[in-house]
Amino acid sequence: ATVYGHLKQAIQFNLDRTGKHGLPCGLSADWNDCIRLGLRGESVFVAFQLRFALKEFSKLARFQGKNSDEDWVSENLARLDNDIETHAWDGNWYLRAFREDGYKFGSQESQEGKIFMNPQVWAIISGHADEERSEKILKEVEKRLLTEFGVMICDPPYKETDHKVMLARLFNPGLKENGGIFTHTQGWMVMAEC
């Protein structure tokens, strides 16, 4: 296939693999390989990246004069936006993921891993969060995740959660996926703030 065709296939791969909330499945790992989502568990983080990919692909389709692909993007983007809004917004920030049994990562209901950085910044980068919501979630990130060394991946760190649910619990709090600060994610934060 052409490069254009491969880009469409990559997007379709995620559209074909969704869970019960209509969000993309995390499969073996969605970036954080410590989150155990199960076969049909869904990643809100990937949903925002998929949204970004759809928006960018729409520009390519328009440039190529492929109206049917623009329609394909519009239909999928509208459905994805609805599913994100319906299932992933938790009132003050976005969830991180759903395990296939319905367990929510990054929820206000959570005792550990209550908020995750990745979905917050990608909600903004992808254009899903409007200006008012963007300001709201950035304030939550600043309040809950910002340190003098950078923005943590999640907070509070995992101490009690079964490691079969969140493998990061095996790391000391503040290390790696258990509330650590990753250099490359700081760039996402800067992009979101811009």
Side-chain angles (χ1 to χ4, degrees), residues 68 73 83-84 97 134 151 172:
S68 63
V73 167
D83 290 336
I84 290 170
S134 294
V151 181
N172 289 330

Side-chain angles (χ1 to χ4, degrees), residues 96-125:
R96 174 62 175 79
F98 291 95
R99 205 167 65 172
E100 65 183 340
D101 64 2
Y103 178 91
K104 293 187 268 188
F105 290 92
S107 170
Q108 295 183 74
E109 302 165 9
S110 303
Q111 296 300 309
E112 300 176 325
K114 189 177 286 281
I115 182 172
F116 281 77
M117 173 199 192
N118 295 14
Q120 312 323 317
V121 296
W122 275 92
I124 297 167
I125 293 168

Side-chain angles (χ1 to χ4, degrees), residues 66-167:
K66 298 190 182 233
N67 296 338
S68 63
D69 283 349
E70 281 192 85
D71 294 341
W72 172 80
V73 167
S74 294
E75 291 169 19
N76 283 294
L77 190 55
R79 182 199 51 76
L80 181 62
D81 277 346
N82 181 65
D83 290 336
I84 290 170
E85 188 63 29
T86 302
H87 303 292
W89 178 244
D90 201 41
N92 288 314
W93 58 78
Y94 289 93
L95 299 175
R96 174 62 175 79
F98 291 95
R99 205 167 65 172
E100 65 183 340
D101 64 2
Y103 178 91
K104 293 187 268 188
F105 290 92
S107 170
Q108 295 183 74
E109 302 165 9
S110 303
Q111 296 300 309
E112 300 176 325
K114 189 177 286 281
I115 182 172
F116 281 77
M117 173 199 192
N118 295 14
Q120 312 323 317
V121 296
W122 275 92
I124 297 167
I125 293 168
S126 74
H128 185 271
D130 62 18
E131 187 174 344
E132 181 180 339
R133 185 172 287 179
S134 294
E135 288 179 17
K136 182 175 188 167
I137 59 179
L138 285 173
K139 284 179 184 171
E140 292 292 342
V141 168
E142 183 177 324
K143 179 171 126 183
R144 298 169 179 272
L145 299 173
L146 184 63
T147 75
E148 63 180 306
F149 304 107
V151 181
M152 298 183 298
I153 291 297
C154 68
D155 189 66
Y158 289 87
K159 296 178 183 176
E160 305 295 329
T161 302
D162 189 328
H163 74 278
K164 293 175 185 166
V165 173
M166 177 49 96
L167 192 62

Side-chain angles (χ1 to χ4, degrees), residues 28-93:
S28 297
D30 72 348
W31 177 83
N32 184 338
D33 53 5
C34 286
I35 295 177
R36 298 297 184 236
L37 298 176
L39 182 63
R40 304 300 296 176
E42 299 158 286
S43 170
V44 176
F45 173 47
V46 171
F48 289 127
Q49 292 180 315
L50 177 58
R51 185 184 197 283
F52 183 82
L54 284 163
K55 281 179 38 188
E56 293 300 307
F57 190 78
S58 179
K59 296 174 192 174
L60 293 174
R62 192 173 315 113
F63 180 77
Q64 294 281 329
K66 298 190 182 233
N67 296 338
S68 63
D69 283 349
E70 281 192 85
D71 294 341
W72 172 80
V73 167
S74 294
E75 291 169 19
N76 283 294
L77 190 55
R79 182 199 51 76
L80 181 62
D81 277 346
N82 181 65
D83 290 336
I84 290 170
E85 188 63 29
T86 302
H87 303 292
W89 178 244
D90 201 41
N92 288 314
W93 58 78

